[in-house]
Amino acid sequence: MVREIVIWPDPVLKQVAKPVDRVDDGIRRLLDDMAETMYAADGVGLAAPQIGELLRCIVIDTSPRQEGQRLIHLVNPEIVEADGTTTYTEGCLSIPGEAEEVERAAKVRVRALDREGAPFELECEGLLAIAVQHETDHLDGVVFVDHLSSLKREVIRRRMKKLKSERATETADELRRAVAHKSAL
Ligand code: GNR
Ligand code: NI
C-alpha cells in the first residue's frame, strides 16, 4: 500500500527510531509499503519515519527505473566503516522541491538485517553510499537540511510552511466540492 509521506518540519522526523526486535510479517509488510511508496514517489530511498513509523527500517533502490531489480531492505542498519569525503546535491521526499549540496563519506560499509532477519554487510560507494547515509540519518531524527547553514535551513523551512498551507487549502477545497456534490444528488 502506498502511504502518505510526512513533510518536514514534523516532530516525527526529529525522533530517534526504535530498533526492530524481530523481523516478522508485520515488518515485511512495512518494508513492502515503504518500497511501494518510494517507487510511487520516484525516490531512491525511504526511511520508515517518513511514513510515520518510528522503526529502524530502510529501503533503497538507486536504479528505480528497473523497479524491484536492485531493491535493498535494511533493518537495524549500522554504518561500521566510513572512508573519504564527497559532496552530492541531495533532495528528500519529505522536503519536496529542495536540493542542496551535502558533504558525506564517499564510501561506507553498512551492517543490517535483511527481510528474513538474516545479517549481511554491504560495501557502498557512489549514490548508494550517499543514500545509505541520508536514510540512516532519518532513523536518528536528522534530515539533509540539518547539514546546511541555519540561514539556508530557515529559508527552506519557510517554503515548506507555505507548501503545507497550500496543500491544506487544496484538501479543504476538495472536501467542500465533494460535500456540495453529495448534497446536490
Ligand atoms: O529520492 C531521493 N533522492 C536523493 C537524492 C540525493 C541524495 C539523497 C536522496 S534520498 C531521496 C529519497 C529520500 O528522501 N529518502 O529519505
Ligand atoms: Ni530523505
Side-chain angles (χ1 to χ4, degrees):
M1 186 177 81
V2 173
R3 307 266 293 260
E4 192 171 327
I5 295 174
V6 174
I7 302 302
W8 180 87
D10 188 292
V12 81
L13 297 175
K14 290 205 73 168
Q15 311 262 324
V16 176
K18 229 171 59 75
V20 169
D21 47 36
R22 207 166 68 89
V23 183
D24 57 13
D25 287 344
I27 294 297
R28 280 185 282 275
R29 207 169 307 129
L30 171 63
L31 291 166
D32 291 343
D33 281 359
M34 289 168 62
E36 264 192 69
T37 305
M38 172 183 74
Y39 288 126
D42 250 324
V44 300
L46 195 79
Q50 292 181 277
I51 58 167
E53 304 281 355
L54 282 168
L55 288 167
R56 302 189 78 81
C57 293
I58 288 171
V59 294
I60 293 177
D61 189 341
T62 54
S63 58
R65 292 288 119 77
Q66 306 122 272
E67 190 165 316
Q69 292 284 293
R70 294 223 301 240
L71 178 59
I72 305 167
H73 303 94
L74 299 112
V75 175
N76 298 344
E78 273 178 83
I79 292 173
V80 292
E81 257 180 63
D83 268 300
T85 56
T86 187
T87 61
Y88 197 92
T89 304
E90 297 195 16
C92 182
L93 294 174
S94 293
I95 313 174
E98 305 292 338
E100 293 287 344
E101 277 197 357
V102 177
E103 191 178 293
R104 305 232 187 230
K107 283 188 179 182
V108 296
R109 190 167 182 82
V110 65
R111 181 182 297 158
L113 303 177
D114 67 15
R115 58 180 288 125
E116 309 304 330
F120 70 101
E121 284 194 12
L122 193 63
E123 184 80 47
C124 311
E125 55 184 16
L127 178 57
L128 180 57
I130 305 291
V132 163
Q133 293 169 84
H134 177 112
E135 304 311 339
T136 52
D137 260 4
H138 274 301
L139 303 183
D140 293 324
V142 174
V143 291
F144 84 89
V145 297
D146 293 321
H147 295 282
L148 307 177
S149 69
S150 58
L151 177 63
K152 279 190 176 171
R153 185 165 52 249
E154 293 318 307
V155 169
I156 293 171
R157 191 191 301 277
R158 229 164 299 139
R159 285 204 288 257
M160 288 304 110
K161 212 175 161 188
K162 187 154 168 264
L163 181 88
K164 281 194 195 192
S165 76
E166 283 166 1
R167 286 189 177 180
T169 306
E170 274 169 36
T171 310
D173 284 349
E174 275 160 25
L175 192 61
R176 221 170 289 123
R177 270 196 297 277
V179 170
H181 177 74
K182 203 165 178 218
S183 65
L185 294 178

XYZ file of all heavy atoms in Angstrom, residues 94-152:
453
model
N 10.660 14.117 1.855
C 9.976 14.854 2.924
C 10.204 16.360 2.823
O 9.649 17.123 3.622
C 10.452 14.357 4.296
O 10.024 13.020 4.494
N 11.039 16.783 1.841
C 11.314 18.218 1.649
C 11.223 18.496 0.143
O 12.219 18.783 -0.516
C 12.710 18.600 2.223
C 12.891 18.007 3.631
C 12.891 20.123 2.255
C 14.289 18.197 4.223
N 10.009 18.368 -0.415
C 9.847 18.401 -1.872
C 10.299 19.717 -2.502
O 10.059 20.794 -1.954
C 8.348 18.164 -2.090
C 7.698 18.311 -0.766
C 8.735 18.107 0.280
N 10.948 19.588 -3.661
C 11.346 20.762 -4.432
C 12.649 21.393 -4.004
O 13.091 22.364 -4.618
N 13.281 20.872 -2.974
C 14.528 21.458 -2.484
C 15.698 20.529 -2.804
O 15.557 19.308 -2.741
C 14.471 21.678 -0.960
C 13.287 22.517 -0.508
C 13.381 23.970 -0.965
O 14.500 24.433 -1.263
O 12.335 24.639 -1.034
N 16.852 21.114 -3.132
C 18.061 20.332 -3.399
C 19.270 21.179 -3.049
O 19.372 22.339 -3.471
C 18.106 19.924 -4.868
N 20.162 20.625 -2.242
C 21.366 21.359 -1.817
C 22.531 20.384 -1.689
O 22.336 19.205 -1.417
C 21.130 22.029 -0.447
C 20.108 23.154 -0.455
C 20.576 24.439 -1.116
O 21.804 24.603 -1.325
O 19.713 25.277 -1.448
N 23.730 20.916 -1.853
C 24.933 20.096 -1.705
C 25.175 19.745 -0.241
O 25.101 20.605 0.630
C 26.151 20.854 -2.238
C 26.303 20.726 -3.735
C 27.710 21.114 -4.196
O 28.538 21.538 -3.361
O 27.968 20.988 -5.400
N 25.468 18.473 -0.014
C 25.785 17.980 1.333
C 27.084 17.189 1.257
O 27.314 16.453 0.295
C 24.653 17.069 1.875
C 25.013 16.495 3.236
C 23.334 17.838 1.952
N 27.956 17.372 2.258
C 29.201 16.611 2.315
C 28.993 15.353 3.162
O 28.405 15.419 4.236
C 30.315 17.474 2.912
C 31.678 16.836 2.761
C 32.804 17.713 3.306
O 33.047 18.786 2.719
O 33.397 17.329 4.322
N 29.456 14.228 2.621
C 29.303 12.938 3.312
C 30.553 12.111 3.057
O 31.385 12.467 2.233
C 28.118 12.164 2.739
C 26.787 12.908 2.751
C 25.752 12.071 3.403
N 24.416 12.654 3.310
C 23.633 12.791 4.358
N 24.044 12.419 5.553
N 22.430 13.298 4.218
N 30.627 10.944 3.740
C 31.683 9.976 3.433
C 31.469 9.439 2.020
O 30.335 9.278 1.570
C 31.645 8.836 4.438
N 32.574 9.191 1.314
C 32.481 8.706 -0.066
C 32.157 7.218 -0.125
O 31.477 6.756 -1.048
C 33.793 8.986 -0.796
N 32.652 6.471 0.865
C 32.419 5.016 0.916
C 31.985 4.641 2.312
O 32.544 5.150 3.285
C 33.721 4.262 0.623
C 34.143 4.210 -0.823
C 35.333 3.262 -0.939
C 35.797 3.134 -2.374
N 36.917 2.162 -2.468
N 31.006 3.764 2.413
C 30.610 3.247 3.729
C 30.401 1.741 3.654
O 30.073 1.188 2.591
C 29.318 3.915 4.283
C 29.513 5.403 4.541
C 28.128 3.677 3.372
N 30.616 1.108 4.794
C 30.271 -0.308 4.935
C 29.119 -0.355 5.923
O 29.212 0.179 7.035
C 31.498 -1.062 5.464
C 31.331 -2.546 5.432
C 32.655 -3.283 5.646
N 32.407 -4.703 5.543
C 32.332 -5.352 4.381
N 32.568 -4.717 3.243
N 32.040 -6.637 4.344
N 27.996 -0.949 5.513
C 26.812 -0.976 6.371
C 26.482 -2.423 6.737
O 26.625 -3.333 5.912
C 25.604 -0.251 5.700
C 25.139 -0.968 4.439
C 24.441 -0.080 6.665
N 26.112 -2.621 8.008
C 25.694 -3.936 8.504
C 24.222 -3.817 8.859
O 23.807 -2.826 9.478
C 26.527 -4.278 9.741
C 26.223 -5.640 10.353
C 27.069 -5.865 11.606
N 28.492 -5.877 11.289
C 29.472 -5.637 12.177
N 29.159 -5.347 13.426
N 30.730 -5.673 11.810
N 23.429 -4.796 8.459
C 21.986 -4.735 8.703
C 21.390 -6.132 8.677
O 22.100 -7.112 8.413
C 21.316 -3.861 7.635
N 20.085 -6.209 8.936
C 19.341 -7.457 8.751
C 18.539 -7.326 7.459
O 18.056 -6.237 7.133
C 18.375 -7.685 9.921
C 18.977 -7.712 11.328
C 17.874 -7.873 12.376
C 20.022 -8.822 11.464
N 18.403 -8.434 6.735
C 17.583 -8.411 5.514
C 16.122 -8.720 5.873
O 15.791 -8.837 7.057
C 18.148 -9.364 4.446
C 18.054 -10.833 4.851
O 17.299 -11.163 5.811
O 18.738 -11.662 4.215
N 15.250 -8.886 4.872
C 13.825 -9.045 5.172
C 13.481 -10.420 5.754
O 12.342 -10.665 6.142
C 12.939 -8.692 3.972
C 13.179 -9.483 2.712
C 12.239 -9.030 1.600
N 10.870 -9.446 1.823
C 9.819 -8.615 1.840
N 9.973 -7.340 1.631
N 8.610 -9.092 2.034
N 14.474 -11.311 5.811
C 14.281 -12.607 6.504
C 14.871 -12.546 7.919
O 14.836 -13.534 8.648
C 14.942 -13.743 5.718
C 14.584 -13.834 4.232
C 13.083 -13.930 3.982
O 12.358 -14.482 4.840
O 12.640 -13.423 2.933
N 15.497 -11.421 8.251
C 16.111 -11.283 9.568
C 17.552 -11.760 9.609
O 18.152 -11.845 10.684
N 18.113 -12.090 8.443
C 19.497 -12.562 8.378
C 20.457 -11.383 8.269
O 20.221 -10.456 7.488
C 19.673 -13.490 7.170
N 21.557 -11.396 9.055
C 22.524 -10.300 8.986
C 23.337 -10.337 7.696
O 23.623 -11.409 7.160
C 23.421 -10.535 10.206
C 23.258 -11.965 10.568
C 21.917 -12.404 10.069
N 23.675 -9.145 7.177
C 24.545 -9.050 5.997
C 25.309 -7.742 6.074
O 24.968 -6.850 6.852
C 23.731 -9.147 4.698
C 22.855 -7.940 4.411
C 23.248 -6.969 3.480
C 21.649 -7.770 5.080
C 22.449 -5.857 3.219
C 20.843 -6.658 4.814
C 21.243 -5.704 3.884
N 26.358 -7.654 5.291
C 27.122 -6.415 5.184
C 27.215 -6.017 3.728
O 27.217 -6.876 2.842
C 28.528 -6.586 5.775
C 28.524 -6.572 7.291
C 29.904 -6.408 7.912
O 30.871 -6.072 7.178
O 30.010 -6.605 9.127
N 27.272 -4.704 3.493
C 27.293 -4.189 2.130
C 28.303 -3.056 2.048
O 28.298 -2.151 2.880
C 25.885 -3.682 1.789
C 25.544 -3.371 0.341
C 25.625 -4.630 -0.514
C 24.139 -2.765 0.263
N 29.163 -3.153 1.047
C 30.162 -2.116 0.787
C 29.526 -1.147 -0.214
O 29.077 -1.583 -1.278
C 31.403 -2.806 0.188
C 32.588 -1.922 -0.062
C 33.389 -1.657 1.208
O 33.671 -2.620 1.944
O 33.712 -0.481 1.429
N 29.454 0.148 0.127
C 28.713 1.088 -0.714
C 29.598 2.237 -1.162
O 30.391 2.759 -0.384
C 27.537 1.680 0.046
S 26.507 0.474 0.881
N 29.409 2.647 -2.419
C 30.044 3.874 -2.909
C 29.075 4.550 -3.867
O 28.005 4.024 -4.144
C 31.399 3.575 -3.565
C 31.354 2.555 -4.660
C 32.749 2.226 -5.223
O 33.768 2.554 -4.589
O 32.784 1.634 -6.308
N 29.457 5.751 -4.328
C 28.593 6.476 -5.254
C 27.261 6.832 -4.603
O 27.193 7.055 -3.390
N 26.200 6.857 -5.418
C 24.877 7.261 -4.919
C 24.382 6.335 -3.805
O 23.705 6.784 -2.878
C 23.873 7.308 -6.089
C 22.427 7.674 -5.735
C 22.332 9.029 -5.022
C 21.549 7.676 -6.992
N 24.742 5.045 -3.887
C 24.312 4.101 -2.843
C 24.871 4.507 -1.472
O 24.157 4.459 -0.466
C 24.740 2.676 -3.222
C 24.360 1.559 -2.241
C 22.853 1.516 -1.997
C 24.863 0.211 -2.749
N 26.140 4.914 -1.447
C 26.762 5.355 -0.176
C 26.064 6.605 0.361
O 25.817 6.730 1.565
C 28.253 5.624 -0.381
N 25.722 7.524 -0.546
C 25.005 8.755 -0.151
C 23.638 8.391 0.426
O 23.244 8.875 1.494
C 24.784 9.691 -1.383
C 26.099 10.010 -2.095
C 24.006 10.942 -0.996
C 27.037 10.877 -1.348
N 22.919 7.516 -0.297
C 21.560 7.145 0.117
C 21.580 6.450 1.485
O 20.731 6.749 2.333
C 20.912 6.249 -0.942
N 22.542 5.556 1.704
C 22.631 4.851 2.992
C 22.820 5.862 4.128
O 22.167 5.769 5.170
C 23.774 3.806 2.976
C 24.137 3.373 4.391
C 23.381 2.595 2.136
N 23.657 6.866 3.919
C 23.894 7.872 4.966
C 22.674 8.780 5.146
O 22.299 9.127 6.275
C 25.141 8.699 4.636
C 26.424 7.869 4.697
C 27.621 8.614 4.119
O 28.251 9.398 4.809
N 27.934 8.375 2.845
N 22.041 9.169 4.035
C 20.833 10.006 4.092
C 19.724 9.269 4.866
O 19.053 9.860 5.719
C 20.407 10.330 2.650
C 19.147 11.117 2.507
N 19.108 12.416 2.033
C 17.846 10.789 2.761
C 17.851 12.841 2.012
N 17.071 11.880 2.441
N 19.553 7.969 4.572
C 18.470 7.198 5.221
C 18.789 6.884 6.678
O 17.895 6.948 7.531
C 18.185 5.899 4.456
C 17.828 6.040 2.972
C 16.762 7.069 2.665
O 15.986 7.435 3.569
O 16.702 7.524 1.514
N 20.036 6.539 7.001
C 20.358 6.257 8.412
C 20.229 7.540 9.234
O 19.825 7.493 10.394
C 21.747 5.617 8.598
O 22.731 6.392 7.934
C 21.782 4.198 8.052
N 20.530 8.689 8.632
C 20.270 9.978 9.289
C 18.800 10.082 9.704
O 18.490 10.478 10.834
C 20.569 11.138 8.323
C 21.939 11.789 8.564
O 22.691 11.295 9.433
O 22.248 12.788 7.886
N 17.883 9.732 8.778
C 16.438 9.806 9.082
C 16.108 8.992 10.334
O 15.257 9.401 11.130
C 15.605 9.242 7.922
C 15.279 10.232 6.840
N 14.580 11.398 7.075
C 15.525 10.219 5.497
C 14.419 12.052 5.926
N 14.989 11.358 4.958
N 16.752 7.829 10.511
C 16.469 6.969 11.671
C 16.929 7.613 12.975
O 16.480 7.244 14.052
C 17.137 5.594 11.503
C 16.748 4.808 10.247
C 17.425 3.449 10.255
C 15.235 4.656 10.131
N 17.844 8.576 12.857
C 18.332 9.296 14.039
C 17.729 10.696 14.143
O 18.251 11.556 14.868
C 19.865 9.357 14.016
C 20.482 7.971 14.194
O 19.915 7.170 14.962
O 21.503 7.681 13.556
N 16.655 10.954 13.406
C 15.964 12.235 13.504
C 16.670 13.377 12.797
O 16.476 14.549 13.140
N 17.507 13.033 11.810
C 18.272 14.053 11.090
C 17.862 14.065 9.620
O 17.710 13.003 9.001
C 19.796 13.766 11.219
C 20.623 14.718 10.365
C 20.235 13.854 12.687
N 17.639 15.254 9.058
C 17.349 15.396 7.631
C 18.463 16.206 6.968
O 19.251 16.856 7.673
C 15.972 16.066 7.378
C 14.835 15.139 7.803
C 15.874 17.396 8.086
N 18.541 16.174 5.631
C 19.708 16.777 4.968
C 19.846 18.273 5.255
O 20.951 18.798 5.297
C 19.752 16.455 3.460
C 18.922 17.361 2.578
C 19.472 18.529 2.049
C 17.608 17.056 2.247
C 18.727 19.373 1.221
C 16.856 17.887 1.425
C 17.407 19.046 0.918
N 18.736 18.960 5.511
C 18.840 20.399 5.786
C 19.532 20.675 7.120
O 20.014 21.789 7.354
C 17.471 21.131 5.716
C 16.892 21.049 4.309
C 16.498 20.600 6.740
N 19.590 19.653 7.995
C 20.341 19.817 9.250
C 21.846 19.926 8.988
O 22.598 20.335 9.871
C 20.056 18.646 10.204
C 18.617 18.648 10.705
O 18.096 19.741 10.981
O 18.012 17.556 10.801
N 22.286 19.540 7.785
C 23.705 19.650 7.420
C 24.015 21.005 6.760
O 25.162 21.274 6.427
C 24.104 18.518 6.462
C 24.033 17.149 7.085
N 25.011 16.665 7.930
C 23.102 16.175 7.009
C 24.680 15.437 8.328
N 23.521 15.124 7.776
N 22.985 21.832 6.545
C 23.174 23.133 5.879
C 23.334 24.246 6.915
O 23.125 24.034 8.108
C 21.960 23.438 4.985
C 21.550 22.362 3.963
C 20.283 22.799 3.231
C 22.675 22.075 2.978
N 23.645 25.437 6.440
C 23.711 26.601 7.333
C 22.305 26.888 7.864
O 21.309 26.543 7.218
C 24.226 27.817 6.567
O 23.264 28.247 5.632
N 22.234 27.529 9.032
C 20.915 27.813 9.606
C 20.135 28.770 8.714
O 18.912 28.684 8.631
C 21.045 28.353 11.024
O 21.834 29.510 11.029
N 20.835 29.657 7.984
C 20.151 30.580 7.073
C 19.419 29.805 5.979
O 18.218 30.007 5.744
C 21.150 31.576 6.466
C 20.557 32.547 5.448
C 19.509 33.453 6.102
C 21.642 33.390 4.785
N 20.161 28.880 5.303
C 19.534 28.063 4.245
C 18.376 27.241 4.791
O 17.325 27.118 4.168
C 20.576 27.113 3.624
C 21.450 27.779 2.585
C 22.284 26.757 1.837
C 23.087 27.437 0.742
N 24.066 26.523 0.130
